[in-house]
Amino acid sequence: MPLNDAAIAANLDNVRRTVAVAAERWSRDPAGMTVLAVSKTQPPEAIRAAAAAGQRDFGENYLQEALTKIDAVADPALRWHFIGAIQSNKTRAIAERFDWVHTVDREKIARRLNAQRPDELPPLNVCLEVNVSNESQKAGAAPDEVEALAEAVAGMPRLKLRGLMALPAPADEFEAQREPFKKLSALFAQLRAKGHEIDTLSMGMSGDFEAAIAEGATVVRIGTAIFGARARRET
């Protein structure tokens, strides 16, 4: 059963406080942190409740589900982030309906998004997904491919390269959690040294966001800690 509005508001407040404490612990500015509410499988009512509590950034993994919710919520103040795998036949809708995409991992997808982004909209904010753990079953550009991909995306006028994203293999120990985030942070620094004006490190979820913050995260993706258990997704 979805949480009620008061529970979602209380959860959001707790998440914000926890993120702020972690940021201060690692000498980070809490004001520079964005909590991205991962709302996949949650109903529009839950998104409205979070929005009423001041949440503006929402992350969705499944395109058709997301489009239905974007239309149902119909709130122009919200920023919609696509954080799922991108198939070539889905790029037009993503380019037309989202403000951010965190999962660009190859030039072909970037070129389609650039070509399909409507001229009347601002450039689409893009993060490059990096497979920092070198997991064969996971999406993401290999670390040694990131610089070339960044150069390509930076030259596309309807995209705005904002930074990097990673979803590393889970780890229980804090120091083990930090290692892949440290690699992503190093890649981020390399791109900045090459002249890319990037500002976003999208990394860390409910179980490892403090390790991500310690290594420079600016966006943490939080779902169940805000909305409770995910609803069963219909197939």
Side-chain angles (χ1 to χ4, degrees), residues 8 17 39 84 87 94 109 127 141 152 167 172-173 189 213 216 228:
I8 289 173
R17 289 175 185 273
S39 47
Q87 298 172 324
I94 294 170
I109 293 297
C127 289
L167 183 63
D172 295 327
E173 297 296 325
I213 289 171

Side-chain angles (χ1 to χ4, degrees), residues 160-180:
K160 181 174 178 58
L161 180 63
R162 296 297 299 268
L164 303 177
M165 178 273 228
L167 183 63
D172 295 327
E173 297 296 325
F174 184 74
E175 289 303 321
Q177 291 175 349
R178 289 183 68 171
E179 283 306 309

Side-chain angles (χ1 to χ4, degrees), residues 25-86:
R25 182 179 296 126
W26 295 99
S27 301
R28 303 284 312 286
D29 180 6
M33 303 297 306
T34 296
V35 172
L36 178 56
V38 178
S39 47
K40 64 180 180 182
T41 78
Q42 299 297 333
E45 293 76 19
I47 295 171
R48 292 192 191 100
Q55 181 65 24
R56 292 293 174 264
D57 293 275
F58 293 87
E60 291 283 337
N61 291 64
Y62 309 117
L63 180 60
Q64 196 54 53
E65 174 192 323
L67 296 177
T68 299
K69 285 189 279 190
I70 290 170
D71 288 337
V73 175
D75 185 343
L78 304 187
R79 291 179 291 267
W80 295 94
H81 301 239
F82 191 78
I83 59 174
I86 305 175

Side-chain angles (χ1 to χ4, degrees), residues 125-140:
N125 296 294
V126 165
C127 289
L128 308 181
E129 183 177 5
V130 185
N131 187 349
V132 288
S133 299
N134 294 314
E135 296 175 88
S136 60
Q137 75 276 23
K138 275 195 178 173

Side-chain angles (χ1 to χ4, degrees), residues 131-203:
N131 187 349
V132 288
S133 299
N134 294 314
E135 296 175 88
S136 60
Q137 75 276 23
K138 275 195 178 173
D144 61 3
E145 299 172 340
V146 170
E147 186 175 331
L149 182 56
E151 290 289 343
V153 171
M156 298 180 191
R158 305 304 302 152
L159 305 183
K160 181 174 178 58
L161 180 63
R162 296 297 299 268
L164 303 177
M165 178 273 228
L167 183 63
D172 295 327
E173 297 296 325
F174 184 74
E175 289 303 321
Q177 291 175 349
R178 289 183 68 171
E179 283 306 309
F181 298 139
K182 187 177 297 183
K183 293 177 183 177
L184 194 71
S185 186
L187 282 172
F188 180 84
Q190 290 173 20
L191 292 182
R192 285 181 61 88
K194 293 284 187 179
H196 293 287
E197 297 180 356
I198 53 177
D199 57 10
T200 302
L201 268 174
S202 173
M203 58 188 194

